[in-house]
Amino acid sequence: MTRAILIVGGYGDVGGLLAAELVAAGHSVVVAGRNEDKARTMAASLGDLAGWCRVDVDDADMVAAALDGVAAAIGCIDQRDCHLLRGAVERGLVYVDVTAGRQFIEAGLALMPEACSTGARVLLGAGLTPGLINVMARACADAVGAAREVHTHGLFSAGDVYGRAALRFMLAAIPEPYPITDNGASRLVRCYDASKKVDFSKSVGARRVWRFAYPDQFFYPRTLGAHTSVSWFSLDPPWVGRLNAVMVGLGGRFFLRSRRVREGALRMFEAVGSRYQGQDALSFAVEVSGPEGTARATVSGHGEGPGTAISAALMFRTIWDGQSVPAGVWLPEQVIDVGDFFPAMSARGWHVEVGRT
């Protein structure tokens, strides 16, 4: 489908919702992935504006064939070798990606010179976290003149529907040390090695959160000039978050180094989630301190998958339509306009509140 948008992973939990969002907005899409039957079925459910093709993102030749003739591409699947990202940059395409891996984002940012040369416009981390939460951090930084200290907090529901890739990412992050920027210096920490209480939206109140390796924190020193940047995480109901912290403290960090143990933990989490099925509320709170004080931004919504799809679709439209976005490889806080993005998210049930404290 000439001039269509290729969505790799387009029949997954997020990709399928994103494809439906773009078709509803009048875009032609090509649903792509390894499973031919799932791609064909999803395309058929979307109607005349959707086609399909089989693509394995680890096969460079298949990726190149899928990119020929399309106007843009969206990645909704983990990429081990970045063939899709590199192919889009080489062709000067619009490319948006929702995956959250730090190494993938770093590899994409390294392609900035080539993207500027070919005219490619690339946005990485276009979901919720990273994604929406990055734009909230930008809004807070603007409110206080600059960002000296950035803390982002995510509260997710155990009863929500999560893709297995997202759950595997979280479980794999727990055993490994990771660097944070603290007062201008880098130091190694671990998931769940510190906690605090934080206020989310008025309807949610205060929750205990634990330090976690979400990727947005790694880039605020570069994009916002932050001297301190830390991400925090928790789960509702509160007993699930506390149980996770206790299990990690009792040796879970060591055992989760085993892939077999991580798969067992994944199945256990899914079993707990089934008990709370339908409870899919989530909230973010961002606090940024700067030369003019401290600003807070909060948002609550329902459904991690639908929220990611909505955020990615709106960000894609900004990159696709916005000639003010120059060629290059960007993160949301660098190019997404708060004045346009927040009202659009609010219209879809994700109302962001920003204020000075």
Side-chain angles (χ1 to χ4, degrees), residues 18 125-128 130-133 306-316 341 345:
L18 178 54
L128 289 178
L132 169 61
I133 207 167
T308 298
I310 292 167
S311 176
L314 293 174
M315 290 187 182
F316 173 82
F341 182 66
M345 288 295 294

Side-chain angles (χ1 to χ4, degrees), residues 190-273:
R190 293 180 184 272
C191 296
Y192 285 98
D193 68 354
S195 71
K196 63 178 182 177
K197 277 199 170 183
V198 65
D199 285 321
F200 286 91
S201 64
K202 294 177 182 178
S203 61
V204 174
R207 291 288 192 278
R208 181 159 296 278
V209 294
W210 286 264
R211 188 151 50 197
F212 204 82
Y214 272 112
D216 65 295
Q217 66 190 309
F218 302 125
F219 303 101
Y220 296 135
R222 278 179 259 177
T223 59
L224 300 180
H227 294 177
T228 296
S229 180
V230 187
S231 288
W232 306 80
F233 160 84
S234 192
L235 281 167
D236 253 353
W239 74 264
V240 179
R242 291 194 298 268
L243 179 61
N244 282 356
V246 169
M247 292 178 68
V248 170
L250 292 176
R253 211 178 258 121
F254 172 80
F255 291 108
L256 284 171
R257 293 182 183 275
S258 164
R259 183 173 181 177
R260 181 175 297 178
V261 172
R262 291 199 301 271
E263 290 299 305
L266 185 152
R267 290 191 292 272
M268 184 184 296
F269 181 86
E270 291 177 333
V272 171

Side-chain angles (χ1 to χ4, degrees), residues 47 74 91 96 101 120 204 239 351:
I74 301 176
R91 289 163 174 78
V96 172
V204 174
W239 74 264
H351 179 63

Side-chain angles (χ1 to χ4, degrees), residues 29-120:
V29 303
V30 176
V31 177
R34 292 180 183 179
N35 191 309
E36 183 176 320
D37 291 337
K38 289 183 178 179
R40 183 192 298 113
T41 300
M42 176 59 71
S45 72
L46 294 171
D48 294 339
L49 288 177
W52 64 273
C53 69
R54 183 177 179 274
V55 175
D56 182 343
V57 291
D58 296 328
D59 187 318
D61 291 336
M62 290 185 74
V63 169
L67 287 171
D68 286 343
V70 300
I74 301 176
C76 301
I77 189 171
D78 290 338
Q79 299 177 51
R80 186 177 61 196
D81 296 315
C82 300
H83 295 310
L84 180 65
L85 171 58
R86 290 196 186 96
V89 170
E90 289 169 1
R91 289 163 174 78
L93 301 179
V94 168
Y95 179 80
V96 172
D97 199 282
V98 304
T99 51
R102 181 190 178 190
Q103 291 182 335
F104 176 79
I105 293 175
E106 293 280 14
L109 293 175
L111 296 174
M112 171 67 92
E114 188 173 353
C116 291
S117 175
T118 64

Side-chain angles (χ1 to χ4, degrees), residues 140-141 143-144 146 149 286-297 355-357:
C140 289
V144 294
E149 190 166 334
V286 176
E287 295 180 358
V288 177
S289 298
E292 299 173 17
T294 299
R296 275 177 49 86
R356 295 274 292 275
T357 62

